[in-house]
Amino acid sequence: MKDVEASDYYDKTMHHTTNPVMDNYANLNKAKMLKSNEPAVMDRSIATLLHMAKKDRFEPYRDIIFFSAAQLALIKPDTSASVFLYTKSTFYNQENIAIKNKAFLELAEISYKQKKYKNAYAFYDSLQLTDTSLNEKDIAQIRDRRNALATIVAQINIIEREDS
């Protein structure tokens, strides 16, 4: 019962707000809330976010919009779409280090799980570890994985060079 009421309020927010950030988060939260009830809602929400990204008034928020769409794609799960959208988020991100780091971390995790170690290393290496949103435990894990991947990538480069 509360989900229906929350959905109605998200709809009202999306249709009446002039604040693009509020519009973005209303779309994202509505899609996350209704994911189990209607899978098509995820697709519509992603399409709505991508449509928002094309509008000029949302230009300063494109990084957040693509990041949100990537999160929704991961929930579906659609890793190829989420990789594309996270990459777009990092492309448009100029100032928001926390969102950029989250996008790079997700890209690194996806690449690592897919055994694309060169890509994973590049994404881990792109992280700015001075970001205050990362805690010491996360930073230590990131450094450990990045250092291990550096060794693996060096060996992969040797194999590729010698194998040709």
Side-chain angles (χ1 to χ4, degrees):
M1 186 67 178
K2 298 272 185 187
D3 287 346
V4 174
E5 187 178 351
S7 178
D8 290 341
Y9 282 115
Y10 284 134
D11 285 333
K12 288 178 184 177
T13 301
M14 288 184 284
H15 295 296
H16 292 93
T17 187
T18 58
N19 184 341
V21 175
M22 189 178 290
D23 191 5
N24 179 29
Y25 283 111
N27 271 299
L28 176 65
N29 290 327
K30 181 180 177 188
K32 283 182 177 178
M33 181 186 70
L34 297 176
K35 70 178 180 206
S36 60
N37 297 342
E38 298 178 51
V41 171
M42 300 294 270
D43 291 328
R44 282 196 307 268
S45 294
I46 291 171
T48 301
L49 288 170
L50 296 179
H51 182 71
M52 285 172 54
K54 294 178 183 177
K55 294 182 180 181
D56 289 338
R57 74 179 192 154
F58 294 109
E59 186 175 352
Y61 307 102
R62 283 186 179 147
D63 58 335
I64 297 169
I65 292 170
F66 284 117
F67 183 83
S68 299
Q71 286 182 313
L72 292 177
L74 265 183
I75 292 170
K76 275 177 64 175
D78 184 358
T79 54
S80 61
S82 61
V83 166
F84 173 75
L85 294 167
Y86 279 129
T87 304
K88 293 279 270 188
S89 174
T90 60
F91 176 78
Y92 286 109
N93 193 329
Q94 301 299 320
E95 299 170 3
N96 195 340
I97 294 171
I99 293 290
K100 195 171 202 172
N101 267 351
K102 288 178 185 178
F104 277 135
L105 191 56
E106 285 293 336
L107 286 166
E109 293 294 324
I110 292 168
S111 296
Y112 186 80
K113 287 176 186 172
Q114 293 178 343
K115 299 182 183 343
K116 296 179 181 177
Y117 298 124
K118 283 182 159 184
N119 290 346
Y121 174 71
F123 293 131
Y124 277 119
D125 199 42
S126 297
L127 288 168
Q128 295 182 19
L129 299 180
T130 57
D131 180 17
T132 56
S133 67
L134 297 171
N135 62 37
E136 290 298 320
K137 183 180 175 188
D138 291 339
I139 292 172
Q141 288 176 339
I142 289 167
R143 283 190 178 132
D144 288 345
R145 185 164 287 176
R146 185 183 62 201
N147 293 339
L149 285 170
T151 305
I152 293 169
V153 168
Q155 297 304 313
I156 289 172
N157 288 337
I158 291 170
I159 290 169
E160 288 175 350
R161 185 177 58 244
E162 298 295 326
D163 199 30
S164 61

